[in-house]
Amino acid sequence: MAPLLEAVKLSFTYPDGTRALQNVTLSIPPGKKIAVLGPNGAGKSTLFLHFNGILRPQEGCIYFAGNRIDYSHKALINLRRQVGIVFQDPDSMLFSASVRQEISFGPLNLGLARDEVAQRVEAALVATGIADLRDKPTHFLSYGQKKRVAIASVLAMEPRVIIFDEPTAYLDPRSTREVMALLADISRQGKTIILSTHDVDIAYTWADYIYIMARGRVIGAGTPAEIFCDAALLETADLARPWLLEVYEDLKNKGWLPATAPVPQKKEELLGLIPYRSRSILAI
Ligand SMILES: Nc1ncnc2c1ncn2[C@@H]1O[C@H](COP(=O)(O)OP(=O)(O)OP(=O)(O)O)[C@@H](O)[C@H]1O
Ligand SMILES: [Mg+2]
Protein backbone atom coordinates (compact mmCIF):
# COMPACT_ATOMS: atom_id res chain seq x y z
CA MET A 1 0.00 0.00 0.00
CA ALA A 2 1.35 3.46 -0.94
CA PRO A 3 2.34 5.38 2.22
CA LEU A 4 0.16 8.30 3.30
CA LEU A 5 2.96 10.03 5.15
CA GLU A 6 6.70 9.56 4.73
CA ALA A 7 9.91 10.94 6.17
CA VAL A 8 12.91 10.46 3.91
CA LYS A 9 16.47 10.92 5.20
CA LEU A 10 15.34 13.58 7.65
CA SER A 11 17.94 15.38 9.74
CA PHE A 12 17.31 18.22 12.14
CA THR A 13 19.53 20.13 14.57
CA TYR A 14 18.02 22.64 17.04
CA PRO A 15 19.58 26.15 17.14
CA ASP A 16 21.52 25.24 20.31
CA GLY A 17 23.31 22.49 18.38
CA THR A 18 21.30 19.46 19.59
CA ARG A 19 21.15 16.92 16.77
CA ALA A 20 17.57 15.72 17.32
CA LEU A 21 17.09 13.73 14.08
CA GLN A 22 19.72 12.01 11.99
CA ASN A 23 18.87 10.45 8.64
CA VAL A 24 15.39 9.32 9.70
CA THR A 25 13.42 7.41 7.08
CA LEU A 26 10.04 5.89 7.83
CA SER A 27 6.66 5.52 6.22
CA ILE A 28 3.11 5.51 7.52
CA PRO A 29 0.57 3.48 5.51
CA PRO A 30 -3.05 4.75 5.38
CA GLY A 31 -5.51 3.47 7.97
CA LYS A 32 -2.89 1.85 10.19
CA LYS A 33 -1.98 2.23 13.85
CA ILE A 34 1.68 3.11 14.17
CA ALA A 35 3.55 3.40 17.48
CA VAL A 36 6.88 5.20 17.88
CA LEU A 37 8.86 4.14 20.93
CA GLY A 38 12.16 5.27 22.33
CA PRO A 39 13.78 6.75 25.41
CA ASN A 40 13.45 10.38 26.49
CA GLY A 41 15.20 12.65 24.02
CA ALA A 42 15.12 10.06 21.20
CA GLY A 43 13.56 12.57 18.78
CA LYS A 44 9.93 11.36 18.70
CA SER A 45 8.32 14.76 19.30
CA THR A 46 10.76 16.44 16.92
CA LEU A 47 9.79 13.93 14.21
CA PHE A 48 6.08 14.58 14.84
CA LEU A 49 6.57 18.33 14.52
CA HIS A 50 7.99 17.65 11.05
CA PHE A 51 4.96 15.57 10.11
CA ASN A 52 2.64 18.57 10.08
CA GLY A 53 5.13 21.16 8.99
CA ILE A 54 5.71 22.96 12.31
CA LEU A 55 9.40 22.16 11.87
CA ARG A 56 11.07 22.15 8.49
CA PRO A 57 13.74 19.54 7.72
CA GLN A 58 17.28 20.79 7.32
CA GLU A 59 18.09 17.70 5.29
CA GLY A 60 15.69 15.23 3.70
CA CYS A 61 11.97 15.68 3.13
CA ILE A 62 8.40 14.84 4.07
CA TYR A 63 5.86 13.39 1.64
CA PHE A 64 2.11 13.50 2.16
CA ALA A 65 -0.07 11.37 -0.14
CA GLY A 66 2.86 11.06 -2.52
CA ASN A 67 3.56 14.80 -2.72
CA ARG A 68 6.78 16.29 -1.43
CA ILE A 69 6.00 19.12 0.99
CA ASP A 70 7.44 22.33 -0.48
CA TYR A 71 6.62 24.55 2.57
CA SER A 72 4.63 27.03 0.49
CA HIS A 73 1.75 28.62 2.41
CA LYS A 74 -0.76 26.51 0.47
CA ALA A 75 1.09 23.24 1.05
CA LEU A 76 1.38 23.91 4.79
CA ILE A 77 -2.31 24.76 5.17
CA ASN A 78 -3.25 21.58 3.34
CA LEU A 79 -0.81 19.47 5.39
CA ARG A 80 -2.13 20.85 8.70
CA ARG A 81 -5.70 20.13 7.66
CA GLN A 82 -4.83 16.54 6.94
CA VAL A 83 -2.37 15.84 9.75
CA GLY A 84 -3.50 16.79 13.26
CA ILE A 85 -1.27 16.63 16.32
CA VAL A 86 -2.27 16.23 19.93
CA PHE A 87 0.82 17.60 21.65
CA GLN A 88 2.59 15.95 24.55
CA ASP A 89 1.82 18.96 26.77
CA PRO A 90 -1.85 20.02 26.50
CA ASP A 91 -1.05 23.45 27.97
CA SER A 92 0.88 24.26 24.80
CA MET A 93 -2.33 23.76 22.78
CA LEU A 94 -5.02 25.45 24.84
CA PHE A 95 -5.45 29.19 24.66
CA SER A 96 -9.19 29.89 24.41
CA ALA A 97 -11.42 31.00 27.26
CA SER A 98 -13.81 28.05 27.29
CA VAL A 99 -13.73 24.43 26.25
CA ARG A 100 -16.33 25.01 23.53
CA GLN A 101 -14.39 27.97 22.11
CA GLU A 102 -11.21 25.96 22.17
CA ILE A 103 -12.69 23.12 20.15
CA SER A 104 -14.50 25.53 17.77
CA PHE A 105 -11.34 27.44 16.92
CA GLY A 106 -9.91 25.02 14.33
CA PRO A 107 -13.15 24.31 12.45
CA LEU A 108 -14.00 28.06 12.38
CA ASN A 109 -10.57 28.69 10.93
CA LEU A 110 -11.31 26.16 8.21
CA GLY A 111 -14.11 28.53 7.17
CA LEU A 112 -16.89 26.02 7.88
CA ALA A 113 -20.50 27.13 8.35
CA ARG A 114 -21.60 27.78 11.97
CA ASP A 115 -23.95 24.79 11.96
CA GLU A 116 -21.24 22.47 10.77
CA VAL A 117 -18.84 23.84 13.41
CA ALA A 118 -21.43 23.36 16.17
CA GLN A 119 -22.07 19.80 14.99
CA ARG A 120 -18.36 18.92 14.93
CA VAL A 121 -17.76 20.48 18.35
CA GLU A 122 -20.64 18.53 19.85
CA ALA A 123 -19.44 15.25 18.30
CA ALA A 124 -15.89 15.84 19.57
CA LEU A 125 -17.15 16.70 23.08
CA VAL A 126 -19.17 13.50 23.21
CA ALA A 127 -16.40 11.31 21.71
CA THR A 128 -13.90 12.50 24.32
CA GLY A 129 -16.36 12.28 27.23
CA ILE A 130 -16.21 15.98 28.18
CA ALA A 131 -19.67 17.19 27.15
CA ASP A 132 -20.33 18.35 30.71
CA LEU A 133 -17.22 20.57 30.61
CA ARG A 134 -18.25 22.50 27.48
CA ASP A 135 -18.68 25.87 29.22
CA LYS A 136 -15.81 25.55 31.66
CA PRO A 137 -12.76 27.84 31.38
CA THR A 138 -9.85 25.76 30.07
CA HIS A 139 -7.45 27.10 32.71
CA PHE A 140 -9.50 25.50 35.51
CA LEU A 141 -9.33 22.01 34.04
CA SER A 142 -7.28 19.15 35.44
CA TYR A 143 -4.40 17.76 33.38
CA GLY A 144 -6.43 14.76 32.17
CA GLN A 145 -9.36 17.00 31.24
CA LYS A 146 -7.04 19.33 29.31
CA LYS A 147 -5.68 16.32 27.46
CA ARG A 148 -9.22 15.41 26.38
CA VAL A 149 -9.92 18.98 25.23
CA ALA A 150 -6.70 18.87 23.20
CA ILE A 151 -7.82 15.60 21.60
CA ALA A 152 -11.32 16.98 20.95
CA SER A 153 -9.92 20.09 19.28
CA VAL A 154 -7.96 17.93 16.83
CA LEU A 155 -10.88 15.53 16.23
CA ALA A 156 -13.11 18.48 15.31
CA MET A 157 -10.73 19.29 12.42
CA GLU A 158 -11.42 15.80 11.01
CA PRO A 159 -7.86 15.22 9.72
CA ARG A 160 -6.91 12.01 7.89
CA VAL A 161 -3.92 11.39 10.16
CA ILE A 162 -3.91 12.04 13.90
CA ILE A 163 -0.65 12.07 15.82
CA PHE A 164 -0.87 11.50 19.56
CA ASP A 165 2.33 12.42 21.38
CA GLU A 166 2.20 10.36 24.59
CA PRO A 167 -1.59 10.48 24.92
CA THR A 168 -1.73 8.48 28.15
CA ALA A 169 1.18 10.02 30.08
CA TYR A 170 0.06 11.12 33.57
CA LEU A 171 -3.48 9.83 33.05
CA ASP A 172 -5.13 7.66 35.69
CA PRO A 173 -5.87 4.02 34.75
CA ARG A 174 -9.50 4.69 33.85
CA SER A 175 -8.69 7.71 31.66
CA THR A 176 -5.91 5.68 30.03
CA ARG A 177 -8.40 2.93 29.12
CA GLU A 178 -10.89 5.51 27.85
CA VAL A 179 -8.34 7.33 25.72
CA MET A 180 -7.15 4.03 24.21
CA ALA A 181 -10.78 3.04 23.53
CA LEU A 182 -11.26 6.39 21.81
CA LEU A 183 -8.16 5.75 19.68
CA ALA A 184 -9.61 2.37 18.73
CA ASP A 185 -12.87 4.08 17.66
CA ILE A 186 -10.99 6.66 15.60
CA SER A 187 -9.00 3.90 13.94
CA ARG A 188 -12.20 1.97 13.10
CA GLN A 189 -13.39 5.08 11.24
CA GLY A 190 -10.45 4.53 8.90
CA LYS A 191 -8.16 7.25 10.23
CA THR A 192 -4.42 6.79 10.34
CA ILE A 193 -3.00 7.07 13.85
CA ILE A 194 0.56 7.65 14.97
CA LEU A 195 1.27 7.49 18.67
CA SER A 196 4.33 7.79 20.85
CA THR A 197 4.38 6.12 24.22
CA HIS A 198 6.67 4.77 26.92
CA ASP A 199 4.08 2.12 27.77
CA VAL A 200 5.26 -1.09 26.09
CA ASP A 201 2.03 -2.93 26.98
CA ILE A 202 -0.04 -0.35 25.13
CA ALA A 203 2.31 -0.33 22.13
CA TYR A 204 2.38 -4.13 21.96
CA THR A 205 -1.37 -4.75 21.99
CA TRP A 206 -2.45 -1.62 20.12
CA ALA A 207 -0.05 -1.11 17.21
CA ASP A 208 -0.06 -2.62 13.73
CA TYR A 209 3.54 -1.56 13.25
CA ILE A 210 6.22 -0.08 15.49
CA TYR A 211 9.24 2.16 14.94
CA ILE A 212 11.94 2.34 17.59
CA MET A 213 13.98 5.53 17.88
CA ALA A 214 17.10 6.29 19.88
CA ARG A 215 19.49 9.23 19.77
CA GLY A 216 17.73 10.77 16.77
CA ARG A 217 17.77 7.62 14.64
CA VAL A 218 15.35 4.86 13.73
CA ILE A 219 16.99 1.75 15.15
CA GLY A 220 14.20 -0.77 14.67
CA ALA A 221 10.98 -1.33 12.74
CA GLY A 222 8.55 -4.21 12.63
CA THR A 223 5.32 -5.74 13.83
CA PRO A 224 4.84 -5.76 17.61
CA ALA A 225 5.81 -9.45 17.75
CA GLU A 226 8.97 -8.84 15.67
CA ILE A 227 10.03 -5.87 17.79
CA PHE A 228 9.37 -7.36 21.21
CA CYS A 229 10.90 -10.76 20.42
CA ASP A 230 14.18 -9.03 19.43
CA ALA A 231 16.09 -9.13 22.73
CA ALA A 232 19.12 -7.25 21.35
CA LEU A 233 16.95 -4.40 20.07
CA LEU A 234 15.06 -4.13 23.37
CA GLU A 235 18.38 -3.97 25.22
CA THR A 236 19.76 -1.23 22.94
CA ALA A 237 16.55 0.80 23.15
CA ASP A 238 16.28 0.20 26.89
CA LEU A 239 12.75 -1.16 26.50
CA ALA A 240 11.05 -3.66 28.79
CA ARG A 241 9.09 -6.60 27.42
CA PRO A 242 5.27 -6.43 27.57
CA TRP A 243 3.75 -8.48 30.41
CA LEU A 244 1.86 -10.60 27.86
CA LEU A 245 5.12 -11.84 26.33
CA GLU A 246 6.71 -12.42 29.76
CA VAL A 247 3.79 -14.65 30.78
CA TYR A 248 3.76 -16.39 27.38
CA GLU A 249 7.49 -17.24 27.71
CA ASP A 250 7.04 -18.43 31.30
CA LEU A 251 4.15 -20.68 30.34
CA LYS A 252 6.21 -22.14 27.48
CA ASN A 253 9.22 -22.72 29.74
CA LYS A 254 7.02 -24.51 32.27
CA GLY A 255 5.62 -26.73 29.51
CA TRP A 256 2.09 -25.37 29.93
CA LEU A 257 2.12 -24.06 26.38
CA PRO A 258 3.39 -26.03 23.38
CA ALA A 259 6.77 -24.76 22.11
CA THR A 260 5.07 -24.09 18.78
CA ALA A 261 2.32 -21.87 20.26
CA PRO A 262 2.02 -18.67 18.16
CA VAL A 263 3.00 -15.39 19.82
CA PRO A 264 -0.22 -13.78 21.20
CA GLN A 265 -0.89 -10.03 20.81
CA LYS A 266 -3.92 -9.89 23.10
CA LYS A 267 -4.68 -11.40 26.51
CA GLU A 268 -7.60 -13.36 25.01
CA GLU A 269 -5.24 -14.88 22.41
CA LEU A 270 -2.89 -16.05 25.16
CA LEU A 271 -5.74 -17.61 27.16
CA GLY A 272 -6.96 -19.34 23.99
CA LEU A 273 -3.53 -20.98 23.58
CA ILE A 274 -3.60 -22.68 26.95
CA PRO A 275 -4.70 -26.33 26.57
CA TYR A 276 -7.72 -27.35 28.70
CA ARG A 277 -5.66 -29.68 30.93
CA SER A 278 -3.33 -26.80 31.91
CA ARG A 279 -6.31 -24.47 32.37
CA SER A 280 -7.70 -26.61 35.18
CA ILE A 281 -4.28 -26.58 36.90
CA LEU A 282 -4.12 -22.80 36.51
CA ALA A 283 -7.80 -22.58 37.59
CA ILE A 284 -8.82 -20.23 34.78
N1 LIG B 1 13.36 23.50 21.29
C1 LIG B 1 14.44 22.78 21.50
N2 LIG B 1 15.67 23.34 21.55
C2 LIG B 1 16.79 22.62 21.75
N3 LIG B 1 16.80 21.28 21.89
C3 LIG B 1 15.60 20.67 21.85
C4 LIG B 1 14.38 21.36 21.66
N4 LIG B 1 13.37 20.47 21.67
C5 LIG B 1 13.94 19.27 21.85
N5 LIG B 1 15.28 19.38 21.94
C6 LIG B 1 16.26 18.28 22.11
O1 LIG B 1 16.12 17.41 21.00
C7 LIG B 1 16.27 16.05 21.40
C8 LIG B 1 15.02 15.28 21.00
O2 LIG B 1 13.95 15.76 21.76
P1 LIG B 1 12.45 15.25 21.56
O3 LIG B 1 11.58 16.12 22.40
O4 LIG B 1 12.14 15.15 20.12
O5 LIG B 1 12.56 13.76 22.18
P2 LIG B 1 11.39 12.74 22.56
O6 LIG B 1 11.78 11.42 21.96
O7 LIG B 1 10.07 13.30 22.20
O8 LIG B 1 11.56 12.62 24.16
P3 LIG B 1 10.45 12.39 25.32
O9 LIG B 1 10.22 10.91 25.40
O10 LIG B 1 11.14 12.89 26.55
O11 LIG B 1 9.24 13.17 24.97
C9 LIG B 1 16.52 16.09 22.91
O12 LIG B 1 17.90 15.99 23.12
C10 LIG B 1 16.00 17.46 23.34
O13 LIG B 1 16.73 17.96 24.44
MG1 LIG C 1 8.43 13.82 23.28
Side-chain angles (χ1 to χ4, degrees), residues 14 16 18 20 39-46 88 166 198:
Y14 281 104
D16 69 353
T18 307
N40 293 135
K44 304 179 296 293
S45 297
T46 306
Q88 193 163 349
E166 300 197 26
H198 293 286

Side-chain angles (χ1 to χ4, degrees), residues 186-248:
I186 299 170
S187 171
R188 273 193 291 274
Q189 292 161 20
K191 305 252 187 228
T192 306
I193 303 185
I194 307 171
L195 153 159
S196 75
T197 181
H198 293 286
D199 186 326
V200 290
D201 295 312
I202 284 182
Y204 182 69
T205 52
W206 176 83
D208 295 316
Y209 200 78
I210 296 178
Y211 286 101
I212 307 286
M213 293 185 68
R215 294 176 301 282
R217 297 178 186 275
V218 173
I219 62 163
T223 63
E226 285 164 354
I227 292 286
F228 286 106
C229 292
D230 185 339
L233 175 63
L234 297 186
E235 170 92 30
T236 314
D238 207 11
L239 284 172
R241 277 209 310 180
W243 73 264
L244 198 61
L245 279 183
E246 291 286 335
V247 174
Y248 162 79

Side-chain angles (χ1 to χ4, degrees), residues 109-120:
N109 246 2
L110 291 179
L112 299 171
R114 291 229 156 234
D115 280 1
E116 167 80 11
V117 173
Q119 216 172 8
R120 285 191 184 197

